[in-house]
Amino acid sequence: MQLRTAPTLLAAALLACAGHAAAQESRDDRFTLRIGAMNAKAETELSAATTFMGERYRFSEDFDFGSSERVPRIDGVFRMSERQRLVFDYFNYDKKRRETLDEGISYDDTTIPAGSYSEAELDFQIASLLYDYSVVQTDSFSLGLQIGAEWAKAKASLVAEAGEDRWSDDTSEDGYAPVVGLRLTARPGDRWLLNLQGQYLDADWGNFGDYDGSITRANAVAEYRFTDNFGLFAGYEWYRLDVKRNVTGDGIRDGIVGWEQRFKGPVVGVTLAF
């Protein structure tokens, strides 16, 4: 899994903090809940490759959902012991984009009247529950390995209307699979916490029907506690959904349809600890 520059630099900062921060008492939080929002930018790439009548064809097209969308971001940590934790994460992106034709277009005998439109909607949800074990645990630094289960659902729909003609289509798939991850946590000060996580899921590990592919996630968070029970956090989140499906048909051999979906953006929110 390739992480971008910002998370990589934060990982280096975590290691530096671990080496230089003064020893301090571990927090006694049994349960931590972070509720916030992500200013998510969606990037979509559709692709296809097939052999038809002996000829090889390839297709790739980027699709932009326009401006960023504010979406909910929730995670929780239940500390079972000094080294053992249960980690929960939830992310949901749901956005529509509509394009309307201001002026009519004519081509040969075909006319598309003004007011014709197309509307696309994407709804993506992902939830995970992981067991986290700290293989390295000090007063100021923790390195954890994670394993658990992840559920994901993607729904896409498209509606187009031109004059009296109307066309619509939608598809929805969901499934679950084991997921593995890595966590780095540092406490450079009594009220500060820096956390970096990366997680990976392969569709072949679980129940995603005829689909192959993977889901990759990385996030970096800096948190400041005003009291033992309340704080604010800010960071950056990145998701990548890579889906492929084999297709067959008349004259088609070894056809593959691909969908790569990326979400990225800053996150902010509040921390509640008990």
Side-chain angles (χ1 to χ4, degrees), residues 219-240:
N219 78 317
V221 170
E223 176 186 281
Y224 182 80
R225 292 283 185 91
F226 294 94
T227 70
D228 289 341
N229 305 111
F230 176 77
L232 297 177
F233 71 86
Y236 195 86
E237 197 105 14
W238 178 79
Y239 294 85
R240 178 175 177 265

PDB file of all heavy atoms in Angstrom, residues 219-240:
ATOM      1  N   ASN A 219      -5.416   7.239   7.203  1.00  0.00           N
ATOM      2  CA  ASN A 219      -5.802   8.510   7.825  1.00  0.00           C
ATOM      3  C   ASN A 219      -4.773   8.938   8.853  1.00  0.00           C
ATOM      4  O   ASN A 219      -4.076   8.111   9.452  1.00  0.00           O
ATOM      5  CB  ASN A 219      -7.201   8.430   8.446  1.00  0.00           C
ATOM      6  CG  ASN A 219      -7.194   7.722   9.777  1.00  0.00           C
ATOM      7  OD1 ASN A 219      -6.549   6.702   9.939  1.00  0.00           O
ATOM      8  ND2 ASN A 219      -7.919   8.244  10.749  1.00  0.00           N
ATOM      9  N   ALA A 220      -4.668  10.248   9.005  1.00  0.00           N
ATOM     10  CA  ALA A 220      -3.770  10.848   9.985  1.00  0.00           C
ATOM     11  C   ALA A 220      -4.561  11.877  10.782  1.00  0.00           C
ATOM     12  O   ALA A 220      -5.265  12.703  10.201  1.00  0.00           O
ATOM     13  CB  ALA A 220      -2.585  11.514   9.282  1.00  0.00           C
ATOM     14  N   VAL A 221      -4.438  11.832  12.117  1.00  0.00           N
ATOM     15  CA  VAL A 221      -5.232  12.698  12.994  1.00  0.00           C
ATOM     16  C   VAL A 221      -4.346  13.281  14.083  1.00  0.00           C
ATOM     17  O   VAL A 221      -3.522  12.570  14.678  1.00  0.00           O
ATOM     18  CB  VAL A 221      -6.401  11.908  13.639  1.00  0.00           C
ATOM     19  CG1 VAL A 221      -7.067  12.731  14.730  1.00  0.00           C
ATOM     20  CG2 VAL A 221      -7.427  11.516  12.591  1.00  0.00           C
ATOM     21  N   ALA A 222      -4.528  14.567  14.345  1.00  0.00           N
ATOM     22  CA  ALA A 222      -3.924  15.233  15.501  1.00  0.00           C
ATOM     23  C   ALA A 222      -5.057  15.676  16.420  1.00  0.00           C
ATOM     24  O   ALA A 222      -6.011  16.318  15.976  1.00  0.00           O
ATOM     25  CB  ALA A 222      -3.093  16.436  15.058  1.00  0.00           C
ATOM     26  N   GLU A 223      -4.947  15.331  17.698  1.00  0.00           N
ATOM     27  CA  GLU A 223      -6.027  15.599  18.659  1.00  0.00           C
ATOM     28  C   GLU A 223      -5.492  16.403  19.844  1.00  0.00           C
ATOM     29  O   GLU A 223      -4.383  16.155  20.332  1.00  0.00           O
ATOM     30  CB  GLU A 223      -6.617  14.276  19.147  1.00  0.00           C
ATOM     31  CG  GLU A 223      -7.684  14.419  20.207  1.00  0.00           C
ATOM     32  CD  GLU A 223      -8.104  13.047  20.743  1.00  0.00           C
ATOM     33  OE1 GLU A 223      -8.887  12.384  20.047  1.00  0.00           O
ATOM     34  OE2 GLU A 223      -7.620  12.659  21.821  1.00  0.00           O
ATOM     35  N   TYR A 224      -6.328  17.358  20.310  1.00  0.00           N
ATOM     36  CA  TYR A 224      -5.977  18.130  21.500  1.00  0.00           C
ATOM     37  C   TYR A 224      -7.105  18.011  22.518  1.00  0.00           C
ATOM     38  O   TYR A 224      -8.270  18.254  22.207  1.00  0.00           O
ATOM     39  CB  TYR A 224      -5.765  19.606  21.163  1.00  0.00           C
ATOM     40  CG  TYR A 224      -5.350  20.437  22.358  1.00  0.00           C
ATOM     41  CD1 TYR A 224      -4.034  20.445  22.788  1.00  0.00           C
ATOM     42  CD2 TYR A 224      -6.291  21.198  23.058  1.00  0.00           C
ATOM     43  CE1 TYR A 224      -3.654  21.205  23.887  1.00  0.00           C
ATOM     44  CE2 TYR A 224      -5.916  21.951  24.152  1.00  0.00           C
ATOM     45  CZ  TYR A 224      -4.601  21.954  24.578  1.00  0.00           C
ATOM     46  OH  TYR A 224      -4.223  22.692  25.673  1.00  0.00           O
ATOM     47  N   ARG A 225      -6.778  17.612  23.749  1.00  0.00           N
ATOM     48  CA  ARG A 225      -7.746  17.457  24.821  1.00  0.00           C
ATOM     49  C   ARG A 225      -7.803  18.718  25.683  1.00  0.00           C
ATOM     50  O   ARG A 225      -6.809  19.109  26.297  1.00  0.00           O
ATOM     51  CB  ARG A 225      -7.376  16.262  25.707  1.00  0.00           C
ATOM     52  CG  ARG A 225      -7.517  14.913  25.037  1.00  0.00           C
ATOM     53  CD  ARG A 225      -8.973  14.464  24.966  1.00  0.00           C
ATOM     54  NE  ARG A 225      -9.032  13.111  24.424  1.00  0.00           N
ATOM     55  CZ  ARG A 225      -9.005  12.016  25.166  1.00  0.00           C
ATOM     56  NH1 ARG A 225      -8.933  12.130  26.487  1.00  0.00           N
ATOM     57  NH2 ARG A 225      -9.051  10.829  24.615  1.00  0.00           N
ATOM     58  N   PHE A 226      -8.960  19.343  25.749  1.00  0.00           N
ATOM     59  CA  PHE A 226      -9.164  20.477  26.650  1.00  0.00           C
ATOM     60  C   PHE A 226      -9.389  19.984  28.079  1.00  0.00           C
ATOM     61  O   PHE A 226      -8.979  20.634  29.046  1.00  0.00           O
ATOM     62  CB  PHE A 226     -10.355  21.309  26.184  1.00  0.00           C
ATOM     63  CG  PHE A 226     -10.119  21.984  24.862  1.00  0.00           C
ATOM     64  CD1 PHE A 226     -10.533  21.384  23.684  1.00  0.00           C
ATOM     65  CD2 PHE A 226      -9.472  23.207  24.791  1.00  0.00           C
ATOM     66  CE1 PHE A 226     -10.319  22.001  22.462  1.00  0.00           C
ATOM     67  CE2 PHE A 226      -9.248  23.833  23.570  1.00  0.00           C
ATOM     68  CZ  PHE A 226      -9.671  23.223  22.404  1.00  0.00           C
ATOM     69  N   THR A 227     -10.081  18.859  28.204  1.00  0.00           N
ATOM     70  CA  THR A 227     -10.267  18.186  29.490  1.00  0.00           C
ATOM     71  C   THR A 227     -10.007  16.699  29.263  1.00  0.00           C
ATOM     72  O   THR A 227      -9.764  16.263  28.143  1.00  0.00           O
ATOM     73  CB  THR A 227     -11.696  18.390  30.032  1.00  0.00           C
ATOM     74  OG1 THR A 227     -12.624  17.653  29.213  1.00  0.00           O
ATOM     75  CG2 THR A 227     -12.077  19.868  30.031  1.00  0.00           C
ATOM     76  N   ASP A 228     -10.098  15.922  30.330  1.00  0.00           N
ATOM     77  CA  ASP A 228      -9.911  14.482  30.183  1.00  0.00           C
ATOM     78  C   ASP A 228     -11.002  13.846  29.336  1.00  0.00           C
ATOM     79  O   ASP A 228     -10.802  12.769  28.758  1.00  0.00           O
ATOM     80  CB  ASP A 228      -9.892  13.803  31.560  1.00  0.00           C
ATOM     81  CG  ASP A 228      -8.637  14.131  32.337  1.00  0.00           C
ATOM     82  OD1 ASP A 228      -7.648  14.566  31.708  1.00  0.00           O
ATOM     83  OD2 ASP A 228      -8.650  13.963  33.570  1.00  0.00           O
ATOM     84  N   ASN A 229     -12.155  14.492  29.236  1.00  0.00           N
ATOM     85  CA  ASN A 229     -13.298  13.900  28.542  1.00  0.00           C
ATOM     86  C   ASN A 229     -13.675  14.571  27.238  1.00  0.00           C
ATOM     87  O   ASN A 229     -14.553  14.075  26.512  1.00  0.00           O
ATOM     88  CB  ASN A 229     -14.532  13.907  29.465  1.00  0.00           C
ATOM     89  CG  ASN A 229     -14.280  13.241  30.788  1.00  0.00           C
ATOM     90  OD1 ASN A 229     -14.250  13.899  31.831  1.00  0.00           O
ATOM     91  ND2 ASN A 229     -14.042  11.942  30.762  1.00  0.00           N
ATOM     92  N   PHE A 230     -13.038  15.701  26.904  1.00  0.00           N
ATOM     93  CA  PHE A 230     -13.445  16.434  25.698  1.00  0.00           C
ATOM     94  C   PHE A 230     -12.231  16.987  24.971  1.00  0.00           C
ATOM     95  O   PHE A 230     -11.297  17.508  25.581  1.00  0.00           O
ATOM     96  CB  PHE A 230     -14.379  17.591  26.069  1.00  0.00           C
ATOM     97  CG  PHE A 230     -14.770  18.444  24.897  1.00  0.00           C
ATOM     98  CD1 PHE A 230     -15.729  18.025  23.983  1.00  0.00           C
ATOM     99  CD2 PHE A 230     -14.139  19.670  24.692  1.00  0.00           C
ATOM    100  CE1 PHE A 230     -16.065  18.808  22.898  1.00  0.00           C
ATOM    101  CE2 PHE A 230     -14.485  20.465  23.608  1.00  0.00           C
ATOM    102  CZ  PHE A 230     -15.438  20.026  22.702  1.00  0.00           C
ATOM    103  N   GLY A 231     -12.266  16.875  23.632  1.00  0.00           N
ATOM    104  CA  GLY A 231     -11.186  17.417  22.815  1.00  0.00           C
ATOM    105  C   GLY A 231     -11.639  17.671  21.389  1.00  0.00           C
ATOM    106  O   GLY A 231     -12.781  17.381  21.005  1.00  0.00           O
ATOM    107  N   LEU A 232     -10.749  18.235  20.593  1.00  0.00           N
ATOM    108  CA  LEU A 232     -10.978  18.469  19.182  1.00  0.00           C
ATOM    109  C   LEU A 232      -9.890  17.767  18.383  1.00  0.00           C
ATOM    110  O   LEU A 232      -8.751  17.622  18.861  1.00  0.00           O
ATOM    111  CB  LEU A 232     -10.953  19.962  18.859  1.00  0.00           C
ATOM    112  CG  LEU A 232     -12.024  20.835  19.513  1.00  0.00           C
ATOM    113  CD1 LEU A 232     -11.791  22.298  19.137  1.00  0.00           C
ATOM    114  CD2 LEU A 232     -13.425  20.391  19.099  1.00  0.00           C
ATOM    115  N   PHE A 233     -10.232  17.321  17.169  1.00  0.00           N
ATOM    116  CA  PHE A 233      -9.235  16.682  16.319  1.00  0.00           C
ATOM    117  C   PHE A 233      -9.350  17.213  14.895  1.00  0.00           C
ATOM    118  O   PHE A 233     -10.396  17.696  14.456  1.00  0.00           O
ATOM    119  CB  PHE A 233      -9.387  15.147  16.333  1.00  0.00           C
ATOM    120  CG  PHE A 233     -10.603  14.632  15.613  1.00  0.00           C
ATOM    121  CD1 PHE A 233     -10.591  14.396  14.240  1.00  0.00           C
ATOM    122  CD2 PHE A 233     -11.773  14.370  16.313  1.00  0.00           C
ATOM    123  CE1 PHE A 233     -11.706  13.922  13.581  1.00  0.00           C
ATOM    124  CE2 PHE A 233     -12.902  13.883  15.660  1.00  0.00           C
ATOM    125  CZ  PHE A 233     -12.862  13.665  14.288  1.00  0.00           C
ATOM    126  N   ALA A 234      -8.245  17.106  14.163  1.00  0.00           N
ATOM    127  CA  ALA A 234      -8.199  17.474  12.750  1.00  0.00           C
ATOM    128  C   ALA A 234      -7.199  16.557  12.072  1.00  0.00           C
ATOM    129  O   ALA A 234      -6.233  16.080  12.698  1.00  0.00           O
ATOM    130  CB  ALA A 234      -7.800  18.939  12.567  1.00  0.00           C
ATOM    131  N   GLY A 235      -7.426  16.296  10.790  1.00  0.00           N
ATOM    132  CA  GLY A 235      -6.520  15.406  10.090  1.00  0.00           C
ATOM    133  C   GLY A 235      -6.858  15.296   8.620  1.00  0.00           C
ATOM    134  O   GLY A 235      -7.476  16.191   8.034  1.00  0.00           O
ATOM    135  N   TYR A 236      -6.465  14.162   8.045  1.00  0.00           N
ATOM    136  CA  TYR A 236      -6.653  13.933   6.615  1.00  0.00           C
ATOM    137  C   TYR A 236      -7.002  12.459   6.408  1.00  0.00           C
ATOM    138  O   TYR A 236      -6.427  11.576   7.054  1.00  0.00           O
ATOM    139  CB  TYR A 236      -5.381  14.279   5.840  1.00  0.00           C
ATOM    140  CG  TYR A 236      -5.592  14.425   4.355  1.00  0.00           C
ATOM    141  CD1 TYR A 236      -6.007  15.632   3.805  1.00  0.00           C
ATOM    142  CD2 TYR A 236      -5.372  13.353   3.494  1.00  0.00           C
ATOM    143  CE1 TYR A 236      -6.195  15.779   2.430  1.00  0.00           C
ATOM    144  CE2 TYR A 236      -5.557  13.485   2.127  1.00  0.00           C
ATOM    145  CZ  TYR A 236      -5.975  14.697   1.599  1.00  0.00           C
ATOM    146  OH  TYR A 236      -6.178  14.823   0.242  1.00  0.00           O
ATOM    147  N   GLU A 237      -7.946  12.218   5.485  1.00  0.00           N
ATOM    148  CA  GLU A 237      -8.435  10.854   5.229  1.00  0.00           C
ATOM    149  C   GLU A 237      -8.329  10.549   3.734  1.00  0.00           C
ATOM    150  O   GLU A 237      -8.541  11.437   2.883  1.00  0.00           O
ATOM    151  CB  GLU A 237      -9.894  10.738   5.676  1.00  0.00           C
ATOM    152  CG  GLU A 237     -10.362   9.308   5.844  1.00  0.00           C
ATOM    153  CD  GLU A 237     -10.463   8.901   7.304  1.00  0.00           C
ATOM    154  OE1 GLU A 237     -10.431   9.807   8.168  1.00  0.00           O
ATOM    155  OE2 GLU A 237     -10.564   7.706   7.578  1.00  0.00           O
ATOM    156  N   TRP A 238      -8.036   9.287   3.413  1.00  0.00           N
ATOM    157  CA  TRP A 238      -7.906   8.864   2.020  1.00  0.00           C
ATOM    158  C   TRP A 238      -8.439   7.446   1.868  1.00  0.00           C
ATOM    159  O   TRP A 238      -8.070   6.549   2.637  1.00  0.00           O
ATOM    160  CB  TRP A 238      -6.439   8.925   1.588  1.00  0.00           C
ATOM    161  CG  TRP A 238      -6.166   8.468   0.185  1.00  0.00           C
ATOM    162  CD1 TRP A 238      -6.364   9.162  -0.961  1.00  0.00           C
ATOM    163  CD2 TRP A 238      -5.607   7.207  -0.211  1.00  0.00           C
ATOM    164  NE1 TRP A 238      -5.974   8.427  -2.060  1.00  0.00           N
ATOM    165  CE2 TRP A 238      -5.506   7.218  -1.619  1.00  0.00           C
ATOM    166  CE3 TRP A 238      -5.192   6.066   0.491  1.00  0.00           C
ATOM    167  CZ2 TRP A 238      -5.008   6.132  -2.340  1.00  0.00           C
ATOM    168  CZ3 TRP A 238      -4.696   4.984  -0.236  1.00  0.00           C
ATOM    169  CH2 TRP A 238      -4.609   5.032  -1.621  1.00  0.00           C
ATOM    170  N   TYR A 239      -9.341   7.246   0.905  1.00  0.00           N
ATOM    171  CA  TYR A 239      -9.895   5.928   0.597  1.00  0.00           C
ATOM    172  C   TYR A 239      -9.679   5.632  -0.884  1.00  0.00           C
ATOM    173  O   TYR A 239      -9.751   6.532  -1.736  1.00  0.00           O
ATOM    174  CB  TYR A 239     -11.408   5.875   0.857  1.00  0.00           C
ATOM    175  CG  TYR A 239     -11.825   6.008   2.296  1.00  0.00           C
ATOM    176  CD1 TYR A 239     -11.980   7.258   2.886  1.00  0.00           C
ATOM    177  CD2 TYR A 239     -12.101   4.879   3.070  1.00  0.00           C
ATOM    178  CE1 TYR A 239     -12.379   7.389   4.199  1.00  0.00           C
ATOM    179  CE2 TYR A 239     -12.503   5.003   4.386  1.00  0.00           C
ATOM    180  CZ  TYR A 239     -12.636   6.253   4.943  1.00  0.00           C
ATOM    181  OH  TYR A 239     -13.041   6.377   6.254  1.00  0.00           O
ATOM    182  N   ARG A 240      -9.495   4.359  -1.195  1.00  0.00           N
ATOM    183  CA  ARG A 240      -9.408   3.928  -2.599  1.00  0.00           C
ATOM    184  C   ARG A 240     -10.145   2.600  -2.752  1.00  0.00           C
ATOM    185  O   ARG A 240      -9.839   1.612  -2.081  1.00  0.00           O
ATOM    186  CB  ARG A 240      -7.960   3.766  -3.040  1.00  0.00           C
ATOM    187  CG  ARG A 240      -7.804   3.269  -4.488  1.00  0.00           C
ATOM    188  CD  ARG A 240      -6.340   3.249  -4.892  1.00  0.00           C
ATOM    189  NE  ARG A 240      -6.146   2.732  -6.224  1.00  0.00           N
ATOM    190  CZ  ARG A 240      -5.850   1.466  -6.495  1.00  0.00           C
ATOM    191  NH1 ARG A 240      -5.714   0.588  -5.510  1.00  0.00           N
ATOM    192  NH2 ARG A 240      -5.682   1.070  -7.750  1.00  0.00           N
TER     193      ARG A 240
END
